[in-house]
Amino acid sequence: MKRISTAALALAAGILLLIACDAPGQPAIGTQPTAVIGSTPTSDPKPDNSGPPPTYPPLLPTPTLSMGMIRTCGDLGGIQYWFDNCWRGVVNGQLISVAAGGEKPQLGGKGQPAPPPAAVFLVFHGPYLLGSDSHPEVYKVAGGSRLGIQSIEGTRFTLVLVDNYNNVVPGTKPVVFDLSTRQWVSP
């Protein structure tokens, strides 16, 4: 009995496959039936696009943002602000981020002294601090150079003047900002 090599078997299988694909009236393997010229199609040749469009996963993982008080947001203020602490949440149905801190000292120009840095409370429209909102709402507090969030009750933020080490400046009174109305209110 003669042995047939593997290569010969593969060649024979390929030839049989080609013959089967070219058989009259038979569709090629792995293809959909096609209409024959002069015949009436039995199904609608248009694809069914009645459903929702396909969705694809993001190419990169998306970040999971923390909500509520964020104690370590320090130098996210770019060249203009120091942030001592921050908060992120939903107010009036909108995702809002806020930061308490101060302006970074600026250089004076042409022999003029630089204005003293102001304590600021910033409101950003969106989840990110700077970058997501090129025009945040800036609320300044006189009498100090940095603010810190001391407590939050509902949409009211109690803010205190702090030093460079985030310690409350002795002898200063807290101020309260209502985030939903964007106004300073009585403590």
Side-chain angles (χ1 to χ4, degrees):
M1 183 177 215
K2 217 175 191 189
R3 287 188 165 189
I4 300 175
S5 71
T6 308
L9 283 174
L11 179 62
I15 291 171
L16 288 174
L17 184 63
L18 286 174
I19 292 170
C21 289
D22 287 340
Q26 296 295 321
I29 295 174
T31 64
Q32 296 293 322
T34 57
V36 178
I37 295 176
S39 68
T40 305
T42 57
S43 64
D44 187 6
K46 295 179 184 175
D48 180 20
N49 293 329
S50 62
T55 57
Y56 303 99
L59 296 177
L60 298 173
T62 55
T64 301
L65 300 172
S66 46
M67 302 294 273
M69 193 69 169
I70 305 165
R71 298 238 179 246
T72 55
C73 55
D75 200 23
L76 296 176
I79 61 170
Q80 194 170 2
Y81 303 105
W82 288 106
F83 295 155
D84 288 295
N85 45 25
C86 305
W87 177 89
R88 182 181 298 122
V90 177
V91 176
N92 298 331
Q94 183 182 15
L95 184 58
I96 299 286
S97 299
V98 300
E103 295 176 323
K104 288 185 178 178
Q106 304 295 318
L107 298 175
K110 297 189 180 189
Q112 299 294 321
V120 293
F121 186 70
L122 292 96
V123 179
F124 298 89
H125 301 272
Y128 301 106
L129 305 170
L130 295 181
S132 67
D133 185 358
S134 58
H135 303 290
E137 298 171 38
V138 180
Y139 301 92
K140 295 184 178 186
V141 175
S145 62
R146 290 172 88 150
L147 275 179
I149 300 171
Q150 185 178 47
S151 65
I152 304 167
E153 188 175 324
T155 59
R156 290 183 173 214
F157 287 71
T158 301
L159 308 165
V160 291
L161 292 172
V162 296
D163 61 17
N164 290 343
Y165 302 101
N166 215 15
N167 298 315
V168 176
V169 175
T172 59
K173 293 182 179 180
V175 293
V176 178
F177 186 83
D178 188 337
L179 191 57
S180 65
T181 62
R182 305 289 203 277
Q183 294 181 357
W184 297 104
V185 294
S186 301

